């Protein structure tokens, strides 16, 4: 993935996707930490700043939008999954392997 900070766009698999500033920030944190489980509090602080006063579902809604807008699905080479009672993890998938 290639991130363009000036235009808040991400080039992924040959497609350029325009994101909001918060979606862009969240995508950047997730891609910089591939295969690492990130806590909800870490993600909220990294994207929304220290001690954000946000509804609890804000992060979930943004993750859902990212999953959809960037097509983060196993058949496209990525999996963005919740980590129970902790946060989220973005992983690359081996699309060459057949099951």
């Amino acid at each position: 993935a290639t991130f363009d900070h000036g235009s808040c766009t991400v080039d992924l698999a040959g497609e350029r996707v325009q994101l909001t500033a918060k979606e862009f920030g969240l995508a950047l944190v997730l891609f910089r930490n591939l295969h690492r489980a990130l806590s909800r509090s870490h993600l909220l602080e990294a994207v929304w700043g220290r001690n954000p006063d946000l509804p609890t579902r804000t992060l979930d809604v943004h993750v859902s939008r990212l999953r959809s807008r960037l097509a983060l699905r196993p058949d496209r080479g990525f999996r963005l999954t919740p980590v129970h009672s902790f946060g989220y993890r973005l992983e690359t998938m081996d699309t060459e392997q057949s099951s």
Side-chain angles (χ1 to χ4, degrees):
T2 304
F3 290 80
D4 184 336
H5 293 268
S7 64
C8 281
T9 58
V10 178
D11 287 327
L12 187 64
E15 292 181 39
R16 175 169 281 194
V17 181
Q18 179 74 46
L19 300 173
T20 67
K22 297 297 185 199
E23 290 168 345
F24 183 86
L26 182 57
L28 194 58
V29 171
L30 289 167
F31 274 91
R32 283 182 173 164
N33 292 281
L34 276 174
H35 304 285
R36 186 177 302 156
L38 300 173
S39 71
R40 295 176 65 81
S41 60
H42 175 81
L43 290 168
L44 286 166
E45 187 173 315
V47 179
W48 282 270
R50 205 178 243 346
N51 302 319
D53 182 22
L54 298 168
T56 57
R57 298 281 299 155
T58 298
L59 179 60
D60 302 319
V61 169
H62 279 75
V63 165
S64 177
R65 284 188 196 146
L66 263 188
R67 190 181 286 123
S68 174
R69 296 190 69 194
L70 295 179
L72 299 175
R73 299 184 311 267
D75 63 317
R76 299 275 308 245
F78 291 96
R79 181 172 56 194
L80 178 54
T81 56
V83 178
H84 184 69
S85 297
F86 185 72
Y88 290 92
R89 175 187 293 124
L90 178 64
E91 301 171 297
T92 55
M93 306 296 294
D94 184 358
T95 54
E96 299 299 311
Q97 250 181 6
S98 56
S99 8

